[in-house]
Amino acid sequence: MTTIKSSLIWAKQRLQDSCERPLFESELLLSYHLSKDRTYLHAFDDDKIDNIEEFKSLIERRANHEPYEYIVGSASFYDIDLAVKEGVLIPRPETEILIDLVADIIKRENLTSIAEIGVGSGAISIILARKFPNLKIVATDICDIPIEVARENIKRYGLEDRVEVIKSNILDEVSESVELVVSNPPYIANDFKLEKNVKEYEPKEALFGGEVGDELLKQIVLDVKAENIKYLACEMGYNQKEAMEKFFNDIGVKYYKFYKDLARFDRGFLIEFEKEEKL
Ligand SMILES: C[S@@+](CC[C@H](N)C(=O)[O-])C[C@H]1O[C@@H](n2cnc3c(N)ncnc32)[C@H](O)[C@@H]1O
């Protein structure tokens, strides 16, 4: 039988070409396989490993560029873990900035009812619902797997009473009146060259926004304006600020601002629309 130490040497070698941190990822996958934390691996590195073939198949999947999160079925996001699987976007750290921006508005304006477009794993809606115990959220998605996974995650955190997930294009099936919309929509141009782990494993519906990339973003802006909703906050691509700014000026919005991610790339925007009073 093989020891922890020798398995890690083999796994690190096997992951050399597919990961930036092959030893670290080997340790994570071995920890997952053994249901132990990483410190255990160092403390007991002469221990033998049961079911070594199973561990090897996890390493082979990673060597084939399958994202770590799909292999273990879980992703860390903000302060929680979320179930994920193929068909659902793995939530990205930059989306935490969008959440903090929206949280500031919810707090300042005392909002109690918002919508999310493109729920994915449920990352945005779940974090916001956990931050604000009086907040109700209706979240949409066009794909079945994200809807199923988001509902599972919402249940895991006991939020079924306040976060509803519905199958809908943008806001088409949303009947509740909401005060703010948040979205991290697909915004990548169809022909953009993505890394293998993203291109071959993550869902196209979550990535590509059209020929230019910003088509769905613009449609979301138009739909939220048409619904007379006051606030819209969206994530966007690093190269979309100029086109979106021109679009905001063309259609007329009361106020907008862009924000950057931690790498100082343009990453999203907040819009406040002029609310038309109903007679
Ligand atoms: C980039 S992912 C974001 C997932 C999640 N909100 C997050 O931030 O991790 C975009 C999501 O939007 C969904 N989507 C794509 N087009 C849509 C549309 N027209 N209406 C609603 N959802 C859409 C995709 O299926 C995908 O789950």
Side-chain angles (χ1 to χ4, degrees):
M1 279 223 283
T2 323
T3 62
I4 287 179
K5 195 195 278 175
S6 62
S7 301
L8 285 175
I9 292 170
W10 168 80
K12 180 186 169 200
Q13 187 62 32
R14 191 69 194 90
L15 296 187
Q16 207 74 48
D17 297 333
S18 49
C19 303
E20 274 177 25
R21 300 167 73 195
L23 179 59
F24 179 67
E25 293 219 24
S26 301
E27 289 179 354
L28 289 181
L29 285 169
L30 187 53
S31 301
Y32 169 74
H33 174 67
L34 298 174
S35 305
K36 303 275 188 203
D37 59 30
R38 278 178 59 233
T39 50
Y40 179 95
L41 306 181
H42 297 285
F44 301 100
D45 63 355
D46 285 332
D47 275 15
K48 308 275 187 239
I49 299 178
D50 289 338
N51 298 327
I52 187 72
E53 289 310 317
E54 252 177 53
F55 172 62
K56 282 187 170 172
S57 81
L58 299 179
I59 293 293
E60 288 308 327
R61 286 168 69 183
R62 190 67 192 103
N64 239 346
H65 299 271
E66 182 170 346
Y68 167 80
E69 289 84 352
Y70 288 156
I71 298 173
V72 302
S74 179
S76 298
F77 182 74
Y78 219 95
D79 58 349
I80 60 172
D81 288 324
L82 292 161
V84 290
K85 64 178 180 185
E86 254 186 79
V88 177
L89 187 96
I90 299 162
R92 306 294 206 268
E94 55 265 29
T95 304
E96 299 182 0
I97 305 171
L98 175 67
I99 292 179
D100 289 338
L101 177 91
V102 169
D104 285 346
I105 303 164
I106 294 172
K107 198 166 160 190
R108 191 185 74 210
E109 304 287 307
N110 245 319
L111 305 186
T112 56
S113 177
I114 71 166
E116 181 188 357
I117 297 167
V119 72
S121 62
I124 297 175
S125 288
I126 290 172
I127 299 296
L128 288 173
R130 279 164 58 87
K131 277 182 184 285
F132 299 97
N134 294 324
L135 187 65
K136 287 209 164 203
I137 305 176
V138 54
T140 71
D141 209 290
I142 46 162
C143 295
D144 291 326
I145 299 176
I147 290 175
E148 172 207 316
V149 171
R151 285 184 181 146
E152 179 189 331
N153 283 320
I154 288 161
K155 195 157 174 228
R156 185 197 282 197
Y157 290 100
L159 299 168
E160 309 95 297
D161 294 348
R162 294 192 291 117
V163 185
E164 184 192 5
V165 178
I166 58 174
K167 186 164 185 169
S168 168
N169 173 48
I170 311 185
L171 296 172
D172 294 355
E173 309 302 324
V174 174
S175 49
E176 293 86 341
S177 81
V178 298
E179 302 156 289
L180 175 149
V181 173
V182 57
S183 185
N184 171 21
Y187 53 68
I188 297 171
N190 290 346
D191 63 356
F192 191 83
K193 296 274 170 288
L194 289 165
E195 286 171 17
K196 197 171 172 191
N197 60 322
V198 179
K199 191 172 134 228
E200 289 190 5
Y201 289 95
E202 297 208 70
K204 314 260 167 299
E205 298 83 351
L207 299 170
F208 300 111
E211 292 296 316
V212 180
D214 61 14
E215 290 89 335
L216 187 60
L217 271 168
K218 287 177 175 167
Q219 192 57 52
I220 289 172
V221 175
L222 289 176
D223 286 10
V224 171
K225 186 175 196 284
E227 290 293 327
N228 204 21
I229 298 166
K230 191 168 176 186
Y231 295 105
L232 169 65
C234 286
E235 192 168 306
M236 66 173 198
Y238 68 92
N239 55 355
Q240 292 172 330
K241 181 177 173 188
E242 200 183 320
M244 292 310 294
E245 188 161 28
K246 179 175 181 319
F247 184 67
F248 300 159
N249 290 321
D250 287 349
I251 65 166
V253 305
K254 183 174 164 187
Y255 167 84
Y256 63 82
K257 73 169 180 186
F258 290 91
Y259 68 86
K260 291 181 189 290
D261 62 21
L262 295 177
R264 307 304 298 154
F265 287 117
D266 293 314
R267 187 52 64 199
F269 58 81
L270 167 72
I271 299 178
E272 185 180 337
F273 293 101
E274 195 77 65
K275 273 203 73 148
E276 286 166 26
E277 294 308 323
K278 287 195 179 123
L279 297 176

